Amino acid sequence: MQFNSFAEFLNMGGYAFYVWLSYGISTGLIVYLIWASFNRHSTVLQQIVQRQKREQRMRQAAAINMQKQGLTQPELNEEMIAAAVAKTTNNSSNENKEV
Amino acid sequence: MFKWLHPYANPEVAYNFCGKLQPWLFRISVVFLTIGLVWALLYAPADYQQGDSFRIFYIHVPAAILAMGIYMAMAIAALSSLVWQLKLADASAAAMAPIGAVFTAIALITGAAWGKPMWGTWWIWDARLTSELILLFLYLGVIALHNAFEDKNLAGKAAGILSLVGVINLPIIHYSVEWWNTLHQGATVSKLGAPSMSASMYWPFLMCFLGFAFLIAAIVCLRFRTEVLARNGMRPWVKALAEQQTSCQSGQCNSAQENQ
């Protein structure tokens, strides 16, 4: 142990301000980095779920449109819905193809 | 030769592997950092010239060395992403840039707080300090480029080229204390051969260095997983995982399992 008392430890041989400034800012930056990283992880997960829900709503809307136009045969419906969804979300078809 | 590595090129496998690694890296880093920082602050001897201000060394030097190490790792990842079109390498390069920027900032700030009592100035346009500042700007440029494009592949290419060009700065930082007359002292621990410092100071330094290194590895794992998710948002496994994780966060974990 290099210090005889807690006050002496805090004083850091007269360099208290510089030493504790360094340790304080470093701790602060690292804690912020870890917090921000965990935060971004959950934000990205939430965004993926939101996008998924939006896609589902589009799918439903497409199905309702089909029914309004009188295209009620089930086999035809599936194909048309798929085509309509592919049109509205052009990202999804591209991203699914890549390996 | 690379056969055993090949399955890890699958995003899902890499994601799960890093997920398993991550908590252990955090735990190991906490152990090393606790030992290292307590040793550095309480038990390591004061420098015979610099007194207790020398204790800044135990953060300043590991942060500076690791900031350069992260840059090298990021540049290697960027190169493999540009040459072999490895998407995961691109994700890891994007994951490393913010961490490197934070550690460069720590090295600069602790360096300034050490320079004020020792040199009498917070900042001087000296070769070592200026080249380290350029490293920070390179990191900020890489981060900005990664966020500048909607298309992550294009962003990765632009940021990758910048990080490769920036590699030229690393030897400049390392040799700046030899090539130019600077206020900054020469290398003590990053020299080839034996470090020119006493063992009572070298061991706590090594503990702190390992602690920061494991901490960086843990944060890289976490950010890498985030990047993998963001780049594979349309994959079924990501969708399933996102649904499961977000429902667990809002306390509906049990009901979700019952539905399955």
Side-chain angles (χ1 to χ4, degrees):
Chain A
M1 189 78 89
Q2 294 291 316
F3 302 97
N4 295 318
S5 68
F6 187 64
E8 208 176 296
F9 168 67
L10 285 184
N11 189 40
M12 274 290 153
Y15 294 113
F17 175 68
Y18 303 108
V19 172
W20 296 121
L21 181 76
S22 304
Y23 277 79
I25 290 182
S26 308
T27 313
L29 280 174
I30 290 172
V31 167
Y32 173 74
L33 176 68
I34 295 172
W35 175 81
S37 303
F38 275 108
N39 198 34
R40 201 172 108 77
H41 194 80
S42 51
T43 309
V44 166
L45 281 172
Q46 276 163 6
Q47 279 172 350
I48 290 168
V49 170
Q50 273 170 2
R51 203 177 345 162
Q52 216 171 321
K53 280 180 183 161
R54 196 176 65 212
E55 224 174 280
Q56 252 168 13
R57 282 199 300 274
M58 280 166 142
R59 222 179 275 264
Q60 278 170 353
I64 290 167
N65 270 341
M66 297 283 163
Q67 278 182 343
K68 274 184 188 166
Q69 288 166 14
L71 303 166
T72 43
Q73 289 109 318
E75 314 89 3
L76 193 64
N77 244 348
E78 284 295 311
E79 278 175 28
M80 298 288 280
I81 291 168
V85 167
K87 248 184 213 171
T88 47
T89 58
N90 29 8
N91 282 335
S92 65
S93 55
N94 289 338
E95 280 183 35
N96 279 333
K97 271 179 207 160
E98 40 180 76
V99 178
Chain B
M1 180 180 158
F2 289 109
K3 217 170 196 177
W4 64 274
L5 258 179
H6 193 256
Y8 293 102
N10 176 341
E12 189 177 0
V13 176
Y15 180 91
N16 290 329
F17 177 69
C18 283
K20 272 183 201 145
L21 224 53
Q22 186 186 312
W24 288 103
L25 292 170
F26 270 120
R27 276 169 214 155
I28 296 170
S29 84
V30 167
V31 170
F32 274 120
L33 276 179
T34 314
I35 297 172
L37 291 177
V38 169
W39 197 343
L41 281 172
L42 286 174
Y43 295 97
D47 188 75
Y48 81 103
Q49 279 181 326
Q50 307 191 347
D52 286 315
S53 77
F54 178 74
R55 296 179 199 284
I56 296 173
F57 165 91
Y58 298 107
I59 291 187
H60 175 74
V61 177
I65 295 175
L66 287 166
M68 290 168 70
I70 298 170
Y71 196 92
M72 202 61 226
M74 184 178 80
I76 291 170
L79 182 73
S80 28
S81 152
L82 284 173
V83 175
W84 295 290
Q85 310 278 315
L86 293 174
K87 297 231 160 86
L88 289 180
D90 194 38
S92 65
M96 279 185 264
I99 305 166
V102 165
F103 276 84
T104 313
I106 288 174
L108 282 168
I109 292 167
T110 55
W114 197 5
K116 181 63 183 165
M118 289 303 113
W119 302 339
T121 177
W122 294 98
W123 184 262
I124 183 174
W125 292 101
D126 154 279
R128 172 59 73 85
L129 278 66
T130 310
S131 54
E132 188 77 13
L133 187 66
I134 291 172
L135 183 71
L136 179 65
F137 291 154
L138 281 170
Y139 272 126
L140 295 180
V142 169
I143 295 168
L145 278 177
H146 271 297
N147 294 323
F149 298 92
E150 194 70 29
D151 178 359
K152 286 290 169 205
N153 290 330
L154 192 62
K157 258 180 210 166
I161 290 167
L162 176 62
S163 26
L164 286 180
V165 172
V167 170
I168 188 69
N169 194 33
L170 293 184
I172 295 178
I173 295 174
H174 185 78
Y175 290 108
S176 58
V177 286
E178 293 174 23
W179 291 345
W180 294 286
N181 279 322
T182 85
L183 266 184
H184 198 284
Q185 68 188 78
T188 38
V189 289
S190 59
K191 281 198 310 199
L192 294 173
S196 52
M197 65 192 304
S198 94
S200 59
M201 289 172 170
Y202 186 70
W203 278 101
F205 160 77
L206 198 65
M207 293 292 130
C208 287
F209 181 83
L210 287 175
F212 283 121
F214 278 108
L215 183 66
I216 287 169
I219 308 173
V220 168
C221 270
L222 171 59
R223 295 196 75 96
F224 170 73
R225 289 164 72 231
T226 312
E227 294 293 334
V228 169
L229 287 185
R231 278 146 213 261
N232 295 282
M234 289 299 173
R235 300 291 174 85
W237 71 270
V238 174
K239 285 180 179 176
L241 186 110
E243 197 136 280
Q244 192 202 340
Q245 297 267 326
T246 45
S247 64
C248 279
Q249 276 168 4
S250 52
Q252 296 162 344
C253 219
N254 292 329
S255 59
Q257 279 169 355
E258 278 165 22
N259 288 341
Q260 284 172 359

